[in-house]
Amino acid sequence: MATFHLLDYGVGNVGSLLQLFEALGHSVVRTTRAHQIADTPLLILPGVGSAVTALGKLHQLGLSDVLRARHEMERPMLGICLGAQLPFSILSEAHNDAGLALLPGRVAPLGGNPGFHTGWSPLDHGQLRACGLARSLRSNETFFFNHQYVCPEEGLERSVIAFSNSEKRVTAMYICGHLTGIQFHPEKSQRQGRILMRNILEDHYGL
Amino acid sequence: MACKRLVATLTVRDGRVVKSYGYAGWRPAGDIFSALRNLDRWGADEILLLDISRRPTLDPTVLNAIARARIATPLAYGGGLRQTEDFMRLMDLGCDRFVVETLLFDSERRLERLADLVGRQALIGCVPLGRNPEGGWVPTLPFSSLRLSEGVVPANLATTLDLLCSSPVSEYLLIAAEVEGSAGAFPLELVVACSNLPDHSVIWFGGLDQASASACLAAPVTAAVALGHLFLEKEVALPLLRDALLLSSPAAPLRRVRILRR
């Protein structure tokens, strides 16, 4: 089983994620050190809360450029929840400020009333299969979402959609080369969350 | 679409799970660690841990139990949340959402600052409701002993709902406070009275049983039903209730859950 790193920049549900990776038999180390971020076989970019706070912390720790450099070297990176939104160019939540700009597009408010997607939603199983990530998952499996902003659907190499409480399309997952983003919380999606994360690590990243 | 949720509530006092009766009486009902592990295994859609100890700081016994339980179920925490550090510490332990009650009424500025930090999607506004002598719904316990530094407690249901809608929170936990602990006593007229709130925005709690939970789930305004006692009294009561709700109303938008067996 592999050892890789999780960017611990003070924003997020780090404890639950570490538990998930540990349950899958991997050894994950928290880090903010530039050389570890550059060299690790897989970097986990977590995040819960506000994009403004998260971006502020990344800038404050001087890690934005380190992440861009890793991306340019096409090294594997997995963003979860807010960590899946930060790689885009424009973040509405951050008053249309630039995100990490690793991917084009704008992370926009979900809209509607209520403008939140909180709860368990099924993923488009056909798209999940097309991503090669559906092993041992049934078509009606649900995953836990809790977000107010949503990643763009256009311009992504491969994506998997779900529908929110108000039937809005939500980019639930995307794969762009070495960069994978997951909008929902696999670490809080019980058995199916564990299976999906195993599929990402083993079938997509070969860990 | 997102499924409506069956929330398992753990009421905690002095480091132990308790069965609470209208917030006026309690009796011990087990330890937090075991309850969290069981509810996680039984497939709760979310676990709501409400610490009613009214301590000045977070209870280390509760924090320790959350850390040890290592659950893979969404966890919301309420009770005694005051400092920003409290929220960050709980988040790091695996809490996904936070129930704010006093803060909701006391300081809009502090709540906005908090929402900037943890995100609005992580905040649940909580209002215990009861009847006034005229029969209207009003925020009730524990406001008789509450000291607000800035805000005021709304005088009626309409102003309470206005306050909720303008607050930086994602869902509303509305508690039928007077019947809390009395299964089957939930007043369904409260759902009608709150029907102007946005769809999928309310978590109902207090005196729910299978029939009233089913009726609540049918209301557009409902995001979740929260039950406490029922799940502590009988082994696997939670999956049995889920099955019953799915059977009683085939359109009931709950998710189907496969229970983990050890």
Side-chain angles (χ1 to χ4, degrees):
Chain A
M1 290 294 167
T3 298
F4 47 88
H5 289 79
L6 178 146
L7 189 62
D8 186 10
Y9 59 116
V11 181
N13 50 346
V14 172
S16 300
L17 282 170
L18 292 175
Q19 283 167 27
L20 170 63
F21 293 120
E22 195 178 300
L24 291 169
H26 296 286
S27 170
V28 180
V29 181
R30 300 178 185 221
T31 189
T32 52
R33 295 182 178 181
H35 73 275
Q36 288 178 327
I37 294 169
D39 295 340
T40 187
L42 173 66
L43 180 70
I44 308 296
L45 180 59
V48 171
S50 148
V52 182
T53 308
L55 278 175
K57 295 247 185 188
L58 286 177
H59 294 325
Q60 186 186 337
L61 292 165
L63 295 176
S64 305
D65 290 337
V66 180
L67 290 172
R68 285 191 195 101
R70 182 179 171 89
H71 178 71
E72 280 165 19
M73 291 162 63
E74 301 191 349
R75 304 278 287 153
M77 188 150 52
L78 172 61
I80 298 174
C81 194
L82 182 59
Q85 298 181 358
L86 296 177
F88 286 91
S89 295
I90 302 169
L91 305 179
S92 299
E93 188 182 6
H95 318 293
N96 289 326
D97 268 4
L100 292 170
L102 312 182
L103 298 172
R106 175 169 173 262
V107 177
L110 201 53
N113 193 12
F116 300 94
H117 178 201
T118 301
W120 295 74
S121 294
L123 307 181
D124 183 311
H125 199 68
Q127 291 177 331
L128 195 62
R129 233 181 6 245
C131 291
L133 297 174
R135 178 164 59 110
S136 309
L137 287 170
R138 295 179 306 175
S139 61
N140 59 350
E141 302 277 20
T142 52
F143 297 83
F144 180 69
F145 289 77
N146 186 26
H147 61 116
Q148 187 182 3
Y149 292 84
V150 61
C151 299
E153 208 179 322
E154 302 77 27
L156 300 171
E157 191 179 303
R158 281 174 287 173
S159 62
V160 179
I161 64 137
F163 286 91
S164 75
N165 312 52
S166 48
E167 302 280 0
K168 293 205 179 257
R169 283 174 73 92
V170 168
T171 305
M173 279 186 69
Y174 61 81
I175 297 175
C176 288
H178 56 280
L179 176 57
T180 302
I182 306 176
Q183 180 61 71
F184 52 90
H185 291 271
E187 79 283 7
K188 288 301 178 85
S189 295
Q190 300 173 348
R191 183 193 61 87
Q192 55 271 40
R194 221 162 21 242
I195 292 174
L196 181 61
M197 185 55 77
R198 180 206 64 187
N199 293 352
I200 292 170
L201 297 180
E202 292 182 7
D203 301 345
H204 183 61
Y205 286 122
L207 293 171
Chain B
M1 66 180 289
C3 303
K4 294 191 178 185
R5 309 192 305 280
L6 194 49
V7 177
T9 306
L10 292 177
T11 307
V12 167
R13 187 176 157 87
D14 298 329
R16 302 283 294 173
V17 178
V18 294
K19 290 178 74 169
S20 161
Y21 299 91
Y23 293 119
W26 305 272
R27 68 178 175 83
D31 76 278
I32 303 167
F33 170 79
S34 303
L36 285 170
R37 289 292 291 259
N38 284 340
L39 294 169
D40 187 40
R41 196 157 45 91
W42 295 337
D45 295 331
E46 186 171 23
I47 299 172
L48 170 61
L49 195 157
L50 291 175
D51 191 336
I52 58 169
S53 308
R54 304 232 160 239
R55 293 165 50 96
T57 56
L58 295 177
D59 186 342
T61 309
V62 177
L63 300 183
N64 183 264
I66 293 172
R68 284 191 304 126
R70 303 164 68 89
I71 60 172
T73 298
L75 178 63
Y77 178 96
L81 289 166
R82 289 172 183 80
Q83 309 299 325
T84 303
E85 294 73 29
D86 296 341
F87 291 83
M88 301 314 288
R89 188 167 178 202
L90 283 161
M91 201 179 260
D92 197 47
L93 285 177
C95 292
D96 305 276
R97 305 209 293 156
F98 306 97
V99 176
V100 289
E101 184 187 85
T102 308
L103 204 54
L104 187 69
F105 296 96
D106 197 18
S107 172
E108 191 182 337
R109 280 177 304 149
R110 277 188 63 202
L111 198 56
E112 288 284 357
R113 279 204 301 273
L114 189 59
D116 283 343
L117 182 71
V118 301
R120 290 180 176 215
Q121 76 284 346
L123 296 178
I124 302 168
C126 172
V127 184
L129 291 160
R131 298 269 196 189
N132 64 15
E134 292 76 41
W137 294 101
V138 288
T140 180
L141 296 171
F143 295 108
S144 55
S145 59
L146 196 67
R147 280 174 298 176
L148 302 180
S149 58
E150 293 178 30
V152 291
V153 177
N156 57 47
L157 186 63
T159 49
T160 304
L161 300 187
D162 284 347
L163 175 80
L164 283 174
C165 287
S166 63
S167 298
V169 299
S170 58
E171 287 185 342
Y172 319 122
L173 174 64
L174 299 186
I175 302 176
E178 288 161 350
V179 297
E180 192 262 343
S182 308
F186 180 84
L188 286 170
E189 60 271 23
L190 182 57
V191 181
V192 177
C194 298
S195 59
N196 286 339
L197 287 170
D199 287 357
H200 290 272
S201 66
V202 179
I203 305 168
W204 301 107
F205 180 53
L208 286 165
D209 62 357
Q210 183 185 322
S212 50
S214 181
C216 285
L217 286 169
V221 76
T222 301
V225 288
L227 293 95
H229 292 195
L230 201 60
F231 298 149
L232 297 171
E233 282 165 355
K234 284 190 290 187
E235 175 85 5
V236 298
L238 194 152
L240 290 175
L241 176 64
R242 183 188 301 278
D243 288 347
L245 288 170
L246 282 163
L247 274 176
S248 66
S249 170
L254 291 174
R255 69 185 179 118
R256 294 183 185 274
V257 174
R258 272 197 284 176
I259 303 303
L260 293 174
R261 299 190 191 283
R262 288 187 176 156

